[in-house]
Amino acid sequence: MPGGDQELGSYYVGVDVGTGSVRAALVDQRGILLAFADQPINQWEPQFNHHEQSSEDIWVACCIVTNKVVQGIDLNQIRGLGFDATCSLVVLDKQFHPLPVNHEGDSHRNIIMWLDHRAVNQVHRINETKHSVLQYVGGVMSVEMQAPKLLWLKENLRETCWDKAGHFFDLPDFLSWKATGVTARSLCSLVCKWTYSAEKGWDDSFWKMVGLEDLVADNYSKIGNQVLPPGTCLGNGLTPEAAKDLGLPAGIAVAASLIDAHAGGLGVIGADVRGHGLACEGQPVTSRLAIICGTSSCHMGISKNPIFVPGVWGPYFSAMVPGFWLNEGGQSVTGKLIDHMVQGHAAFPELQAKATARCQSIYAYLNSHLDLIKKTQPVGFLTVDLHVWPDFHGNRSPLADLTLKGMVTGLKLSQDLDDLAILYLATVQAIAFGTRLIIEAMESAGHSISTLFLCGGLGKNPLFVQMHADITGMPVVLSQEVESVLVGAAILGACASGDFASVQEAMARMSKVGKVVFPRREDKRVLPGNFWELMKSTGRVYFRVQKWH
Ligand SMILES: Nc1ncnc2c1ncn2[C@@H]1O[C@H](COP(=O)(O)OP(=O)(O)O)[C@@H](O)[C@H]1O
Ligand SMILES: O=C(CO)[C@H](O)[C@H](O)COP(=O)(O)O
């Protein structure tokens, strides 16, 4: 059990594979990051809505970052390794070699990424079945889940991919297999993205009904017939071959992994909040919502009993915190949308030049520019006439409509840096309103949320965090460690090592409150908060913009 000087010398390595980069950290038993490294990863978009990656590239990036974070330390102190990753689909043949997921036959590109929307037709047919498993994904399966992608491969790449495939992995499970040689899947991946039930296992009738009966015929060996709770120690630990690649000792404990958003949830949701004046103090952990904001945003709320929220994924049993049900709301593009809006604007080169001259990130520059142009007004005042509808890549939650598109109203002919800054602000606000809609949907179904715990790359943006507080009216807790997703991955490694008795115990010990951002009530007057009103009518979604004085 932890405690005392000797245990403080025990370290865990967490590896987080996001959409744009791989990160690793060396973490101690208090959840403090002692070393951090990151490495960008390749993405291909061979045609619109097709997004691909390479499992070999990703493994190489994992090796680069792990080797870096353990430089100069006594390797005997490393007790465990945990992986988390995006829920992308990795395809390998029967000998575990990559298979192409594209018409070009490029087997290096063997991953259909989570944000790939190629399987629109397939997901539509799956949803038409109205099969009972759909109740556990918010009522509507997302094109970002694995069943429609598998069906697409079967229908479009039968000879080059489907017939040759031996293993379809969720990316987090691919990584734990690569490290240990164990093909067991994490309960997290299978429950959240593959329709597996923690209580009932696979439902043969679903796979038969959607035309993927061949997966049932061989007892699910290609998609997983051994399922383990996240944090379970796999096989004999790290294999000698993987140990050499990663620069870590052979035989250390390697955990069954988590999807990245879920690792972020573990990294933040269990923190001791005493003394911060938060409504969730002394309340059940179910009053907390973890929001993991990177390329996308994921809204992770837990409950003791299953809660069915239309348009919000889940309820998933034990998929994040053991023994709790999870609902997962989401916005498919948030960081990616902000980058898209800013980088596509005519004033972007000027922004880049000015930010570089000041040695600032473009977002730090934009935030200070907004402070300049707002003068004495609250910043929300700047977007009274400019509105963004943020569903540029469809709406994941709560509308669960992949056909929705983005929109901007209130554009003028000018395209200077002020316009760029205001468009950026309106985009951030629109994303925060999306979060509010998700929270409202969760609360009307039975959740009772008082406090947000935010992490991910967008947690580094003070404007993004403040807008989430102002627009939801809830305090936002930021962790002591900015890289909280990596703390979540390290928690897995710590559990696998046996140093903590449970995930809950590791969460309580390793996640810590850093800063709390409270909503600014005085800005409410000028936020476009009450401008937005969603109306669902005859199956189509409209929105109304209302002035509120
Ligand atoms: N220093 C920063 N300031 C503001 N925004 C940032 C900063 N760093 C990253 N971001 C935002 O975070 C997003 C990436 O977050 P990250 O968690 O790294 O993504 P992923 O896990 O999907 O790879 C970017 O799209 C960018 O908008
Ligand atoms: O679907 C998800 C979690 O269930 C995530 O959105 C997906 O994994 C991408 O994550 P990120 O934005 O951190 O790259």
Side-chain angles (χ1 to χ4, degrees):
M1 296 297 292
D5 290 346
Q6 202 191 331
E7 283 100 348
L8 288 177
S10 296
Y11 301 143
Y12 313 101
V13 174
V15 179
D16 166 35
V17 180
T19 300
S21 65
V22 175
R23 281 84 58 159
L26 183 71
V27 181
D28 72 13
Q29 287 199 326
R30 298 161 300 170
I32 311 287
L33 263 68
L34 306 169
F36 168 82
D38 63 349
Q39 178 73 19
I41 43 177
N42 288 319
Q43 292 177 48
W44 290 268
E45 196 179 342
Q47 59 191 88
F48 180 62
N49 269 339
H50 289 225
H51 297 263
E52 297 171 5
Q53 282 182 322
S54 155
S55 62
E56 285 176 346
D57 271 8
I58 288 174
W59 183 250
V60 169
C62 290
C63 296
I64 293 171
V65 289
T66 50
N67 274 282
K68 281 188 187 162
V69 296
V70 298
Q71 283 288 314
I73 71 135
D74 176 359
L75 294 184
N76 293 317
Q77 291 177 283
I78 300 174
R79 303 259 309 136
L81 169 65
F83 291 99
D84 72 73
T86 62
C87 46
S88 299
L89 177 68
V90 183
V91 189
L92 304 179
D93 70 12
K94 295 177 180 77
Q95 287 74 43
F96 294 93
H97 298 131
L99 280 171
V101 294
N102 46 72
H103 291 294
E104 296 84 352
D106 179 357
S107 57
H108 190 59
R109 288 159 26 209
N110 67 322
I111 297 181
I112 302 185
M113 291 179 70
W114 62 271
L115 77 167
D116 187 296
H117 281 191
R118 71 181 69 181
V120 169
N121 178 286
Q122 286 73 15
V123 82
H124 183 60
R125 280 182 277 137
I126 289 172
N127 282 318
E128 276 184 339
T129 65
K130 305 223 179 298
H131 193 281
S132 57
V133 297
L134 302 176
Q135 287 168 23
Y136 289 86
V137 289
V140 183
M141 182 168 285
S142 164
V143 68
E144 294 172 9
M145 292 180 173
Q146 308 299 18
K149 289 173 174 159
L150 292 168
L151 192 55
W152 187 93
L153 288 173
K154 183 173 178 181
E155 293 177 347
N156 291 273
L157 298 178
R158 181 124 203 176
E159 278 157 32
T160 53
C161 181
W162 185 258
D163 286 345
K164 291 182 180 166
H167 310 273
F168 297 102
F169 282 108
D170 222 82
L171 184 52
D173 295 329
F174 164 80
L175 296 168
S176 59
W177 162 73
K178 191 81 182 157
T180 62
V182 175
T183 57
R185 307 306 205 267
S186 162
L187 184 73
C188 171
S189 323
L190 291 198
V191 167
C192 298
K193 309 291 167 172
W194 300 71
T195 73
Y196 187 85
S197 158
E199 293 158 318
K200 298 184 216 144
W202 292 116
D203 187 328
D204 295 356
S205 68
F206 169 74
W207 296 99
K208 288 178 183 164
M209 192 180 269
V210 303
L212 289 169
E213 60 290 334
D214 26 1
L215 297 175
V216 185
D218 67 357
N219 191 30
Y220 300 100
S221 68
K222 290 184 184 168
I223 61 172
N225 52 20
Q226 194 198 350
V227 188
L228 296 171
T232 308
C233 185
L234 294 171
N236 297 320
L238 194 62
T239 63
E241 193 190 356
K244 195 159 159 267
D245 288 353
L246 295 164
L248 299 174
I252 58 163
V254 180
S257 37
L258 278 171
I259 298 169
D260 54 356
H262 303 63
L266 285 197
V268 297
I269 210 168
D272 179 356
V273 297
R274 276 174 296 178
H276 292 278
L278 290 165
C280 66
E281 184 176 333
Q283 295 303 309
V285 68
T286 49
S287 62
R288 305 175 180 197
L289 183 77
I291 314 185
I292 295 80
C293 308
T295 303
S296 61
S297 289
C298 302
H299 307 71
M300 322 296 282
I302 57 176
S303 57
K304 266 290 172 202
N305 296 308
I307 300 179
F308 294 84
V309 190
V312 171
W313 295 345
Y316 300 136
F317 186 62
S318 277
M320 188 172 84
V321 181
F324 284 84
W325 291 84
L326 170 72
N327 285 105
E328 179 181 349
Q331 293 162 286
S332 289
V333 289
T334 53
K336 189 175 172 71
L337 177 64
I338 297 170
D339 298 345
H340 174 83
M341 297 297 255
V342 169
Q343 290 167 15
H345 195 278
F348 179 61
E350 183 189 346
L351 167 65
Q352 258 187 320
K354 288 188 165 159
T356 308
R358 273 209 221 155
C359 298
Q360 278 183 320
S361 79
I362 52 170
Y363 295 114
Y365 188 93
L366 280 174
N367 293 349
S368 53
H369 192 75
L370 283 169
D371 279 339
L372 275 181
I373 58 179
K374 79 182 169 64
K375 303 197 176 70
T376 54
Q377 302 275 15
V379 76
F381 177 83
L382 292 170
T383 52
V384 166
D385 296 321
L386 185 75
H387 306 284
V388 173
W389 185 253
D391 294 330
F392 284 52
H393 199 50
N395 181 286
R396 196 190 275 182
S397 307
L399 305 175
D401 184 346
L402 69 88
T403 67
L404 283 185
K405 305 281 187 289
M407 183 167 21
V408 183
T409 66
L411 292 171
K412 299 179 289 183
L413 272 179
S414 61
Q415 283 190 307
D416 61 16
L417 197 52
D418 287 3
D419 295 304
L420 166 51
I422 294 167
L423 181 64
Y424 156 72
L425 170 65
T427 306
V428 171
Q429 288 174 327
I431 291 167
F433 275 108
T435 287
R436 191 167 96 177
L437 288 179
I438 290 168
I439 294 172
E440 283 169 5
M442 290 175 80
E443 294 205 307
S444 22
H447 281 275
S448 178
I449 295 158
S450 69
T451 311
L452 310 182
F453 289 70
L454 193 148
C455 66
L458 286 163
K460 296 176 200 157
N461 184 339
L463 180 83
F464 186 88
V465 176
Q466 187 67 59
M467 286 299 146
H468 275 68
D470 293 350
I471 288 170
T472 62
M474 292 186 194
V476 178
V477 178
L478 299 173
S479 290
Q480 191 172 307
E481 291 296 347
V482 179
E483 301 293 341
S484 312
V485 183
L486 281 167
V487 174
I491 285 174
L492 293 176
C495 290
S497 73
D499 288 350
F500 292 94
S502 65
V503 169
Q504 277 93 335
E505 185 193 332
M507 274 166 50
R509 292 293 296 261
M510 293 175 72
S511 51
K512 292 193 175 50
V513 174
K515 184 178 172 198
V516 181
V517 177
F518 287 95
R520 297 174 303 189
R521 305 279 175 198
E522 69 276 16
D523 272 17
K524 215 172 166 201
R525 176 172 58 88
V526 288
L527 284 172
N530 284 3
F531 297 173
W532 295 88
E533 191 170 290
L534 276 168
M535 292 185 299
K536 272 199 153 181
S537 164
T538 59
R540 293 185 64 197
V541 176
Y542 300 88
F543 74 92
R544 183 151 55 94
V545 178
Q546 289 181 326
K547 297 283 177 196
W548 176 39
H549 295 292

